[in-house]
Amino acid sequence: MKDLRIPEKKFRPELEGVRAVAALLVAIYHIWFGTVSGGVDVFFIVSGYLITTSLVTRIEREGKINFPEYVLGLWRRLFPNAFIVMFSIVILSFLLLPSVQWNQIMAEIYASMFYFQNWELATNAVDYLAQNNEATPLQHFWALSIQGQFYILWPVLIFIIFIMVRKVLKTPFRKTLVAALGGIFLTSLIYSIYITNVNQPWAYFDTFARMWEFSLGGILALFIPYLTPKKWYSTVGGWIGLVIIVTTGMVLPVSTVFPGYAALLPISGVILVIVSAEKYSKYSVKKLLGSRPLMYIGSISYAFYLWHWPLLIFYYALFNTDSVTFFNGLIILLITFILSILSTKKVESPVRKISVKHSKVKLLSTLVVFLIPVLTLNIFWGIFEQQTQEMFKHQVERENYPGAKVIYDNAEAQQDVPPIATPPKANSKLPTFYEDDCYVGMNEAGLKLCSYGETENPEFTIALVGGSHSGHWFPALEQFAQDSGVKIDVYNKDACRFSTQDFDGLLSATCMEWNERIIEPLMDNPPDLIVTTASVNAGAKVPQGYIEMWKKFQGIANIFAIRDNPRMKEDVPSCVELNGPEECSVQRKEALSEKAPWENTTNIPNNVYFADLSDYFCVGDTCPAVIGNVLVYRDQHHISTLYSMTLAEPLKEHIFEALETFKK
C-alpha cells in the first residue's frame, strides 16, 4: 500500500507574511476597536501546519523523536521573550495598577508561566463572581498557553501513531496519521460547535474546542505535496484568502461566536493562501506576504503579540481611560515594534544560537535564568501583599467605618481614612455563604440549601432566594439574625433571578431549571418571608417574570422584595484607588428610575412587601462610591460585604414591618 509523499520541510515566506498580518490585526483590533480579529486562529492553523511538517519530516528521517531535545528547542523559542515580558509586567503592575487587581495578576503570572492561562480565564469566564475582574496585562497569554499545550501534545500523538503503525497496524504512517488527524478534527469541531452553543465564554479558552484548528493545519501539511493549483487560482485564491483573514473581525463578532464553526472563516483564508503559494504567479499574494517588510514583521510577530497587550493595559491605567486615540494608538504600535525588535534580537536570538544537541546544560541553565526572576518577584510580591493586608486588618478600627450609619444614625466618619469594602480580619470579600460553597454555580445544575442564624428554635424563617443581587444582602441579614431569633435559609444560584421568564435568553437554561426546582421546597416548608429582588438595574417596572413567580406563593408564603441597587459606571474599588471617591459617583437620575418600579406596575399580588433602601445608596442627587469610609460596592454593581453589614438596621426595620403587615 503506497504511502503519501513526505511533506517537504522548506521555508515558506508567505507564512511569515501571514503571521505578520495576524499579529497586526490582533493589535489593531485591540487598540482601536476594543474587539478581537480572529488573528489568533490564524496563528493556530499556521502552528499546526509547521509543527506537523517538522515532526513528520524528523520522524521519517530518524525513526524517532528526541523528546528532551524537542522540549529544549521549544523552550528556547518560547521562554526568552515570554519571560522578559512577564518580568516587565510584574514590575509595571506593581507601580501602575491598583492594588485590588494584584491578587488576580499574581495568579495569572503563575498561569502564564506554566501555560494554563487559558484554563484560568475559562474558569473566570464562567464564574459569575469573577466576571467583574478588570482586564489584566496577562490575558493574551491564553492563546500562548493553548499553543504550548499543543506543542507538547502533538509530538506525543504523532510518535504514538508512528509506533502503532510499525508494531501493530502495519499500515502506511502518513495515511494513518491523516486518518487520525481527521478524527481529531471532526471530534474537536463537533465538540467546539456544541460547547460554543451552550457555553461560549468557556469554549473561547477551551483547548479541546480549539484542537481542530491545529489538526486542520496538520492535515493540510500532509496533503500539500498533492495540491497543484492552476495559475489563475494562485493569483485569485491567495488574494481572496488574505481578504478573508483581514475582514473576519469586521464581519463576525469574534469574541462572542468563536470558536465553533465560525472560526472556519479565517482558517479557510489561511488555507487559500497556503495552497495558492504552491505555484508561482507573478501577481500572487505570495509576493506581498513574502516581501521583506512583512517577512521582517513576521520574524518578530511572537514578541509583537507579547508586548502589544500589556502596553495597551498600562496605557489605560496611566491615562485613566478606556479608549485610545488614533495618534496614541500609533505610539503604542511604535513602542511595541521597538520592544519587539530589541527583545527578539538582543534576548531571543542569542539564546536560539545555543545548540540543543551539543550544549544542553548551558541551554537549560540559560532558560532557568529567565524563569527564576519572574518566579521570585511574583513570590515576594505575594508575600508583600499578604503582609500588607494583615497589617492593615490589625490597624483598622471598626468605628472608623460607619458606612450607612452616617445616613440613618448620624454617625461621624473620621477624615483621611482609606475606604474599605471588606470587614477587618475577614478571609473573603464575598458573603460567608460563598465560602461555605452554599451556592449553585452559573452553569451548574441542582439546588443547594444552607441555614444560618438561629437554626435550632427560630422565631421565624427567612428564605433568601435568587442570584448575587439577592445574595449581597446576606451580610446585613446575618448581622441581626442570631439575636432576633431569625433563621436564614439560603437558596442561591449565580447569574440567576427568582423568575418564571428568562429575560429574552439572558438567564441560562440551568437558571430556569433551578427556578422550577426551587418551588417545591419553598412550598413544602414555607418560610415566613421569601427575600428576593424587586427590580433589575434602573428598570422602571417590576419584571413580569417576578410577578408570575410571586403569584405561585399566594396563600402559602409572603414575598419581601428589595429594590435593586444603583449600578456604577466602572469597577468601584479600582476607580476609587486611582481617582478618588468623587470621580466614581453617579447621578441618581442615571442610576434609578424616578418612581419606584412597583408604582408603575399593575397586577402585583397581595403577598408582596416592597422595600426601597435607595436613600442609603444615594444622598441627594448623587449615588456615591464611598459612604462612611466604606466602599459601597465590591465591583461595579454588587454591594460590598462591609456596606451590606452596615445596612442591617434599616433592613431589619423593613423585615419586621413586613412581618407585622402580613399578620394583620
Side-chain angles (χ1 to χ4, degrees):
M1 189 176 181
K2 192 174 180 181
D3 204 350
L4 297 171
R5 296 176 195 167
I6 299 176
E8 184 181 358
K9 185 181 178 182
K10 62 180 180 181
F11 177 67
R12 301 193 62 117
E14 75 279 3
L15 290 187
E16 287 295 303
V18 167
R19 281 174 163 167
V21 170
L24 288 170
L25 284 172
V26 169
I28 288 168
Y29 274 75
H30 280 162
I31 291 170
W32 283 300
F33 304 113
T35 58
V36 290
S37 63
V40 165
D41 301 86
V42 172
F43 285 129
F44 288 168
I45 187 171
V46 170
S47 294
Y49 178 92
L50 293 174
I51 199 68
T52 302
T53 301
S54 174
L55 288 169
V56 169
T57 303
R58 184 182 305 182
I59 206 166
E60 285 284 351
R61 185 177 62 245
E62 302 175 7
K64 64 177 182 178
I65 296 175
N66 189 317
F67 284 97
E69 289 185 3
Y70 170 81
V71 171
L72 276 175
L74 182 65
W75 290 351
R76 184 179 63 175
R77 292 199 311 274
L78 299 179
F79 279 13
N81 267 314
F83 283 99
I84 285 293
V85 171
M86 276 188 262
F87 184 81
S88 304
I89 287 173
V90 172
I91 294 173
L92 291 174
S93 295
F94 179 79
L95 296 174
L96 298 178
L97 298 185
S99 59
V100 294
Q101 291 187 36
W102 285 2
N103 284 326
Q104 182 187 352
I105 293 170
M106 284 185 275
E108 290 188 13
I109 284 286
Y110 291 121
S112 300
M113 286 177 65
F114 299 108
Y115 288 85
F116 62 91
Q117 171 74 323
N118 61 310
W119 298 115
E120 178 83 9
L121 295 182
T123 302
N124 284 346
V126 299
D127 182 356
Y128 185 71
L129 300 174
Q131 284 189 337
N132 293 289
N133 287 348
E134 294 287 290
T136 73
L138 290 139
Q139 288 183 345
H140 64 320
F141 272 86
W142 74 267
L144 303 178
S145 293
I146 289 180
Q147 280 189 297
Q149 293 159 29
F150 161 75
Y151 286 143
I152 295 299
L153 173 65
W154 221 238
V156 174
L157 174 71
I158 290 177
F159 185 69
I160 289 174
I161 293 171
F162 180 73
I163 295 299
M164 289 288 290
V165 300
R166 290 292 174 92
K167 304 291 186 182
V168 181
L169 300 176
K170 307 297 183 182
T171 54
F173 167 57
R174 289 179 298 283
K175 283 187 176 179
T176 309
L177 182 58
V178 167
L181 297 187
I184 293 171
F185 168 77
L186 285 174
T187 304
S188 174
L189 180 59
I190 291 169
Y191 169 74
S192 183
I193 293 170
Y194 163 76
I195 197 69
T196 301
N197 184 54
V198 300
N199 191 353
Q200 190 274 334
W202 173 278
Y204 196 84
F205 303 109
D206 189 338
T207 303
F208 306 109
R210 297 279 187 172
M211 197 54 63
W212 66 267
E213 299 178 81
F214 295 102
S215 60
L216 189 57
I219 292 169
L220 179 61
L222 293 168
F223 272 114
I224 202 74
Y226 293 90
L227 302 178
T228 53
K230 295 186 180 297
K231 193 172 182 180
W232 67 266
Y233 174 84
S234 294
T235 301
V236 177
W239 286 106
I240 293 174
L242 181 59
V243 169
I244 290 173
I245 292 170
V246 172
T247 59
T248 293
M250 300 178 192
V251 300
L252 290 176
V254 175
S255 62
T256 58
V257 300
F258 273 35
Y261 59 81
L264 285 166
L265 186 61
I267 297 300
S268 66
V270 179
I271 292 172
L272 288 172
V273 169
I274 293 174
V275 174
S276 71
E278 280 299 290
K279 195 157 192 173
Y280 174 78
S281 173
K282 185 178 180 181
Y283 302 105
S284 73
V285 75
K286 183 177 180 178
K287 251 190 146 176
L288 172 65
L289 295 174
S291 62
R292 285 190 174 183
L294 283 182
M295 283 182 60
Y296 185 79
I297 296 172
S299 69
I300 61 169
S301 60
Y302 174 56
F304 186 89
Y305 177 84
L306 284 167
W307 282 111
H308 87 281
W309 179 255
L311 288 175
L312 177 62
I313 297 301
F314 293 131
Y315 171 87
Y316 288 154
L318 196 58
F319 295 100
N320 190 24
T321 183
D322 58 1
S323 61
V324 183
T325 65
F326 179 74
F327 179 73
N328 288 346
L330 290 177
I331 292 176
I332 292 173
L333 283 179
L334 178 61
I335 296 173
T336 301
F337 271 116
I338 292 171
L339 291 175
S340 301
I341 293 168
L342 288 174
S343 63
T344 300
K345 302 303 177 185
K346 301 298 183 183
V347 179
E348 180 186 327
S349 293
V351 175
R352 293 189 68 168
K353 290 177 182 177
I354 301 174
S355 172
V356 173
K357 287 184 177 294
H358 305 109
S359 305
K360 289 185 178 65
V361 175
K362 179 182 178 181
L363 178 58
L364 185 60
S365 302
T366 303
L367 295 174
V368 170
V369 166
F370 283 99
L371 184 147
I372 286 178
V374 179
L375 186 61
T376 304
L377 263 184
N378 210 43
I379 290 172
F380 278 104
W381 189 14
I383 294 171
F384 171 79
E385 164 68 359
Q386 187 175 9
Q387 289 178 342
T388 302
Q389 290 299 320
E390 288 299 321
M391 187 181 303
F392 180 71
K393 286 178 183 179
H394 289 295
Q395 291 175 347
V396 166
E397 298 289 341
R398 182 67 176 270
E399 56 268 23
N400 291 337
Y401 297 92
K405 290 180 181 179
V406 299
I407 298 174
Y408 68 80
D409 203 25
N410 295 318
E412 290 189 11
Q414 184 177 326
Q415 299 298 311
D416 302 321
V417 172
I420 59 175
T422 307
K425 302 182 181 179
N427 294 323
S428 171
K429 66 179 182 180
L430 299 173
T432 52
F433 71 83
Y434 287 108
E435 295 178 49
D436 298 336
D437 195 30
C438 186
Y439 69 101
V440 180
M442 186 167 66
N443 291 291
E444 295 177 3
L447 200 66
K448 289 184 180 180
L449 166 63
C450 294
S451 297
Y452 297 87
E454 179 52 61
T455 58
E456 295 298 326
N457 297 296
E459 293 185 25
F460 58 91
T461 300
I462 290 173
L464 182 61
V465 181
S468 57
H469 274 250
S470 294
H472 61 198
W473 288 101
F474 178 79
L477 292 170
E478 195 178 29
Q479 285 296 289
F480 64 82
Q482 193 78 44
D483 294 339
S484 301
V486 179
K487 177 186 176 185
I488 309 171
D489 287 339
V490 176
Y491 295 93
N492 186 275
K493 177 167 170 58
D494 282 344
C496 196
R497 297 166 186 165
F498 191 45
S499 170
T500 61
Q501 297 179 350
D502 67 357
F503 292 81
D504 296 323
L506 179 65
L507 303 185
S508 66
T510 58
C511 172
M512 301 317 296
E513 178 194 346
W514 180 85
N515 271 298
E516 291 175 5
R517 295 184 63 176
I518 201 171
I519 295 172
E520 184 178 343
L522 288 174
M523 287 188 173
D524 288 347
N525 190 20
D528 295 279
L529 287 179
I530 295 175
V531 177
T532 189
T533 51
S535 57
V536 178
N537 203 345
K541 291 187 176 183
V542 176
Q544 189 61 32
Y546 286 11
I547 294 174
E548 291 177 4
M549 182 64 86
W550 300 342
K551 285 181 178 179
K552 293 178 184 290
F553 293 91
Q554 281 185 296
I556 301 171
N558 295 312
I559 309 296
F560 183 92
I562 310 177
R563 186 179 186 179
D564 201 7
N565 57 279
R567 311 289 176 105
M568 309 303 278
K569 292 181 179 178
E570 54 186 300
D571 181 79
V572 169
S574 296
C575 180
V576 170
E577 185 173 341
L578 292 172
N579 310 306
E582 293 76 16
E583 298 295 321
C584 307
S585 302
V586 298
Q587 292 298 302
R588 184 177 188 134
K589 61 183 179 181
E590 297 175 3
L592 295 169
S593 59
E594 187 175 349
K595 288 185 177 181
W598 46 90
E599 294 180 15
N600 299 318
T601 307
T602 57
N603 298 320
I604 295 173
N606 58 10
N607 64 330
V608 181
Y609 175 96
F610 290 104
D612 188 352
L613 283 82
S614 300
D615 288 341
Y616 300 104
F617 295 96
C618 300
V619 181
D621 295 332
T622 305
C623 302
V626 175
I627 296 176
N629 291 335
V630 177
L631 289 162
V632 180
Y633 306 93
R634 68 173 186 255
D635 47 40
Q636 193 172 349
H637 55 89
H638 291 103
I639 306 171
S640 73
T641 299
L642 182 54
Y643 195 73
S644 178
M645 291 168 67
T646 68
L647 288 169
E649 194 59 36
L651 183 62
K652 177 183 177 181
E653 290 177 8
H654 278 285
I655 290 282
F656 280 91
E657 182 179 313
L659 290 167
E660 288 299 318
T661 300
F662 289 125
K663 282 181 181 179
K664 295 176 182 178

